[in-house]
Structures are given as structure tokens and as C-alpha cells.
Amino acid sequence: MFIFLKKMLAPPVFNDDEKTHHAYLLHTILWGLIFVPIPYVSYTLLKTPEFTARFDARYYW
């Protein structure tokens, strides 16, 4: 199971070194865009709950 997960999360490898390098950079950027917001959203939800309330239409009519 761990080997399968490791293969799925690894960046792609191509015969061309330039394509492999571009794929690695894109892979790193995309995983960063996925994992960086998680601590930020968690912190926001825990430290400022007054800003996380749902929209209440009573206050806007």
C-alpha cells in the first residue's frame, strides 16, 4: 500500500531531462498549492471564528 501511494505522489519521469525537470517543478508547485492553504484555513477557523459564520440574509434585507 505504501509503495503504491509513493508511486502515485512521485513526480513523472520522462526520457527528456528538460521535460522531467518541468514536470518536477510543476509537481512541486501544485502540491504546494494544495498543502499550504490547509494550515492557514485551520488557523483562521480556530483563531477568528467570528469571520467564519455563514451568510445570514436577515442582516442584508
Side-chain angles (χ1 to χ4, degrees), residues 7-56:
K7 284 184 181 181
M8 291 299 293
L9 296 177
V13 178
F14 299 102
N15 291 333
D16 184 16
D17 287 339
E18 187 176 352
K19 277 188 177 181
T20 301
H21 182 67
H22 287 195
Y24 174 77
L25 290 175
L26 181 62
H27 181 263
T28 303
I29 290 168
L30 291 176
W31 278 116
L33 288 173
I34 291 171
F35 286 117
V36 167
I38 293 173
Y40 174 74
V41 170
S42 301
Y43 176 78
T44 303
L45 290 173
L46 293 174
K47 294 296 180 182
T48 57
E50 64 271 7
F51 297 126
T52 59
R54 292 186 177 212
F55 174 75
D56 191 357

